[in-house]
Amino acid sequence: MKQTFRQWTLSLLAALALSACGGGSLQDRPSENGISPQASDMPRAKATAATAGASAAPKQGIVLDDIDKGSFCYSEPINFSADVSDLKSAYQSNNWLQTITSVYGRRWPSGKALATAQANDQYFKGFVDTSSFNKLAESLMVAIHEETHMWDLAAERTQWNNYSSSWIDEQTQFLKFNLYDSDGGFARKEILSLITDDASSETDEVYLKNAQQGEYHLQGVTAELNASLMGLPAAAAVGEFIDGIGASNSRDLALTNTSYLQLYLRVAKSKHNAYYNKLKSDPTLRKWVLVQFLRNAYHMKQSDRWAAKLGSAKVPRLIARVYAAENLAILEDFTGYTLPKTIDSACMGAAGAPVINSQPQNVVANVGQTVSFSVQASGSGLSYQWRKNGVNLGSNSSSASYIINAVQASDAGSYSVLVSNSLGSTSSNAASLTVNPGSEIRISITPASVTLSPGGSQQFSATVSGSSNTAVTWRVLDTGGGSISSSGRYTAPQTAGSYRIQASSVADASKTAQATVTVSAASTAPVINSQPQAVNAVAGSTASFSVQASGSGPLSYQWRRNGTALSGATGSSYTTPVLSLADHGAVYSVVVGNAAGSVTSAGATLSVSAAGGGTTVTGSLSGAGASATVPGGSPGYLRTTARGLFNAQLSGPAGSDFDLYLYRWNGSSWAVVAKSEGPASSEALSYTGAAGFYYFQIQSYAGGGAYSLTYSAPK
């Protein structure tokens, strides 16, 4: 019975955890009625997960900063003996979620926090047996395991194979750490050659030998490890209520997935060394690996009292595998710290040999410039020795940075640094220093001359050649000739006349240039002679607006869209970027100004229609809260085979407030990828998306009546 349930649990974790939660392959397509193949009795709706906060150190338990001090121990504020008899007595199937959060609130706050974060997930109930308190307890390992996947693999925190996130405890999460898959990631099935026992044979069949599961990369390893390290305390917290068949492999899973991480790193180092070094260079990833290893030891110790219920007879062999010398060695090499040699300790050892986190970079400089090289390394008691062309340098070469003042041609060469401590040393990559020969500094000012009204302003710019230091200092040469800022913005005086400004090179103050400013008589405020006109355009094109104005120069222009200034739109005409349907109805205006005042044009409305007409469907909504999906009928979604642009324009009845949404199947649920929620009856959206499955939803916020939706989608 126990063996059969364990096999069922492994199958469920495989089918639901990574097929439903990640990967995004075409095998994870929705069925024709838009419902997950693994959960056909669940309604099609977005599984929401509350966003957890950033990694703040809790008052008890995890203090990540201790890792850098070499004194980190994993712990959580756990009290598995807290009395929950009143919760059991009051249990009813309709208060199962309240019961979970209350039990974990007393015994394991991290579980309460995760359950609260996932409270709105429609699939949560599908993972729990609510028929009795004991059945609920038996099902919590799988439920929390799967809800950890829901949180870890949510699209706002994870991009499959590129970066991942991990819920660690109530207040600590690793958010969006990089997996560097494009730098050499490989299928996890490659670790099979290193497994020489049968301690994880059932899990191996599912995660490594299965044709689809075996192809998952490091993402699959990290996701399963984190979920199993939440599933174990989830079961241990209610261990006394488990009848001996529920969650029977939670200890096996935690140990197995810890060993999978070790074996993946061993294969990476031996067969994909460049990828291993890329992973190892990331301090966040090294910390995550260390935390997960010590976290496993911590929860194994905490769950000892329920070892017979939560683990199989293979647990001792799995412990031996995790703590085998070669598997500890890879983690020590990867993290740079020594690790405990037995599962009885959840504390790291002393810092290991230095690890270089950031290499020196190549430098190109001109004669006389100051240059520097720097390195970032982790480890305790570090010393540095900088070298040029392999030979140790003398003074000022024993810190993390090496500085050369007034560089000369003879300084050109190859620079590296040896970082050492009592446990070893490592040499950085070589960085080259290229020294350009000296040249004469020249400086010019643009514009060379300008005429302004009293109080008018002008932006001047200076070009410096012959030096890498292109900074200048500005000043007005004539008394009463106005003022100029450090960035070259000149303001004219109120008195008419001719004035000079000067820019001096910071590299050589003797090198200067001048410009002339003529201040004319008082100016007249601008007047708009020709207003911007409304424009009709199609999606995928651009639109242009223009204005004609008169007044004392120079005139300034600032175009606005819906009252907000557009960056860089400072000419008498403005051309939009490529348009989408979302731009429909935008109003463009321009503020024209000079020293005497400013004037705002009338607004010009932009109308955007779909290119090529698109597909038009009609229908009606009965009133507030009513909704409809497009396309209707079967299969009820659009399938696109290539990345492309979605455009949609909705017209509803006057006086109503209809909203428009675009959903995409993310491998486990339908999620909103674009929306338009304006206060009127007409909406438009534009979205560029990858190949996949999509549908539109029209929803009434207020009012009802007939609508028309015109849309286009990639093939």
Side-chain angles (χ1 to χ4, degrees), residues 32 44 617-618 628-638 694-696 707 709 711:
E32 288 198 347
R44 180 182 69 181
V617 296
T618 60
T629 60
V630 175
S634 177
Y637 57 79
L638 303 168
Y694 297 84
Y695 70 87
F696 294 98
Y707 64 82
L709 176 70
Y711 68 90

Side-chain angles (χ1 to χ4, degrees), residues 55-122:
S55 301
K59 295 180 180 179
Q60 303 180 52
I62 299 176
V63 183
L64 292 178
D65 289 346
D66 287 347
I67 295 176
D68 297 323
K69 302 174 185 176
S71 58
F72 177 73
C73 293
Y74 188 91
S75 65
E76 292 185 39
I78 285 176
N79 181 12
F80 285 166
S81 61
D83 182 19
V84 294
S85 59
D86 58 317
L87 299 176
K88 181 179 181 181
S89 299
Y91 176 73
Q92 307 233 345
S93 61
N94 61 0
N95 70 351
W96 63 273
L97 182 58
Q98 179 183 351
T99 300
I100 290 175
T101 55
S102 297
V103 169
Y104 285 157
R106 297 181 190 181
R107 293 189 165 190
W108 179 44
S110 294
K112 175 185 178 182
L114 180 62
T116 301
Q118 292 293 333
N120 293 324
D121 176 14
Q122 62 169 331

Side-chain angles (χ1 to χ4, degrees), residues 45 79 131 193 237 297 308 327 344 388 417 430 475 500 537-538 582 606 678 708:
N79 181 12
S131 59
S193 61
N327 289 334
D344 295 325
K388 177 187 176 185
V417 61
R475 69 178 180 133
R500 296 166 300 156
V538 296
L606 172 63
S708 173

Side-chain angles (χ1 to χ4, degrees), residues 101-353:
T101 55
S102 297
V103 169
Y104 285 157
R106 297 181 190 181
R107 293 189 165 190
W108 179 44
S110 294
K112 175 185 178 182
L114 180 62
T116 301
Q118 292 293 333
N120 293 324
D121 176 14
Q122 62 169 331
Y123 299 128
F124 201 163
K125 190 175 188 297
F127 298 128
V128 295
D129 184 341
T130 61
S131 59
S132 70
F133 185 88
N134 281 26
K135 292 296 185 184
L136 179 68
E138 289 174 5
S139 63
L140 284 180
M141 185 278 281
V142 172
I144 295 297
H145 181 115
E146 291 307 317
E147 290 309 310
T148 302
H149 279 318
M150 292 291 190
W151 192 93
D152 288 353
L153 300 178
E156 63 267 29
R157 286 180 289 273
T158 288
Q159 187 180 91
W160 189 256
N161 279 345
N162 291 326
Y163 57 82
S164 187
S165 296
S166 284
W167 179 289
I168 301 298
D169 79 345
E170 180 183 8
Q171 298 183 12
T172 305
Q173 295 88 41
F174 283 80
L175 300 179
K176 290 190 176 180
F177 56 88
N178 206 326
L179 300 175
Y180 303 102
D181 191 71
S182 61
D183 291 308
F186 56 92
R188 63 181 174 184
K189 67 182 179 182
E190 288 192 35
I191 72 175
L192 276 168
S193 61
L194 297 181
I195 300 177
T196 58
D197 57 40
D198 67 346
S200 59
S201 57
E202 295 164 346
T203 315
D204 297 343
E205 288 291 333
V206 175
Y207 289 163
L208 305 180
K209 296 181 181 180
N210 176 272
Q212 178 183 352
Q213 300 272 341
E215 293 297 328
Y216 290 156
H217 291 195
L218 182 56
Q219 177 87 65
V221 177
T222 62
E224 284 306 325
L225 175 56
N226 202 59
S228 64
L229 290 178
M230 290 296 286
L232 176 54
V238 290
E240 70 264 42
F241 305 108
I242 295 175
D243 294 333
I245 59 172
S248 61
N249 66 337
S250 53
R251 284 164 65 90
D252 299 64
L253 276 177
L255 288 163
T256 296
N257 285 303
T258 300
S259 75
Y260 283 176
L261 175 63
Q262 294 170 307
L263 300 179
Y264 194 92
L265 292 176
R266 283 177 58 191
V267 172
K269 184 177 182 182
S270 63
K271 296 183 179 181
H272 309 273
N273 191 248
Y275 180 53
Y276 177 79
N277 289 332
K278 185 70 174 181
L279 295 174
K280 184 179 175 180
S281 70
D282 190 326
T284 299
L285 192 54
R286 293 203 307 274
K287 282 186 178 182
W288 181 86
V289 169
L290 176 66
V291 168
Q292 297 292 59
F293 178 78
L294 299 178
R295 182 185 182 197
N296 175 69
Y298 176 80
H299 284 305
M300 289 296 293
K301 188 71 174 177
Q302 293 293 323
S303 64
D304 270 347
R305 71 184 74 183
W306 309 118
K309 292 185 177 184
L310 307 183
S312 73
K314 294 182 178 181
V315 164
R317 279 181 285 165
L318 287 167
I319 293 174
R321 181 198 292 178
V322 170
Y323 286 87
E326 62 273 19
N327 289 334
L328 288 178
I330 191 64
L331 295 189
E332 292 184 339
D333 178 79
F334 186 82
T335 64
Y337 293 98
T338 57
L339 299 174
K341 300 302 184 284
T342 68
I343 202 168
D344 295 325
S345 174
C347 293
M348 63 186 287

Side-chain angles (χ1 to χ4, degrees), residues 499-643:
Y499 306 97
R500 296 166 300 156
I501 62 168
Q502 177 178 282
S504 302
S505 169
V506 171
D508 183 351
S510 68
K511 306 299 182 182
T512 64
Q514 293 183 17
T516 302
V517 177
T518 300
V519 179
S520 62
S523 60
T524 59
V527 174
I528 292 178
N529 303 320
S530 178
Q531 298 282 354
Q533 300 299 306
V535 175
N536 295 318
V538 296
S541 68
T542 61
S544 295
F545 300 89
S546 64
V547 69
Q548 292 181 6
S550 59
S552 299
L555 295 178
S556 65
Y557 301 86
Q558 177 58 66
W559 287 90
R560 303 184 300 181
R561 182 180 188 272
N562 295 332
T564 300
L566 294 164
S567 177
T570 55
S572 60
S573 63
Y574 171 69
T575 299
T576 69
V578 174
L579 298 171
S580 69
L581 291 178
D583 296 306
H584 178 74
V587 177
Y588 291 81
S589 60
V590 61
V591 178
V592 184
N594 64 11
S598 64
V599 61
T600 301
S601 75
T605 301
L606 172 63
S607 299
V608 182
S609 58
T615 300
T616 300
V617 296
T618 60
S620 65
L621 299 180
S622 59
S627 65
T629 60
V630 175
S634 177
Y637 57 79
L638 303 168
R639 177 178 181 178
T640 65
T641 59
R643 183 176 181 84

Side-chain angles (χ1 to χ4, degrees), residues 481-504:
S483 61
I484 191 167
S485 70
S486 59
S487 63
R489 187 73 180 180
Y490 172 79
T491 302
Q494 295 298 322
T495 303
S498 180
Y499 306 97
R500 296 166 300 156
I501 62 168
Q502 177 178 282
S504 302

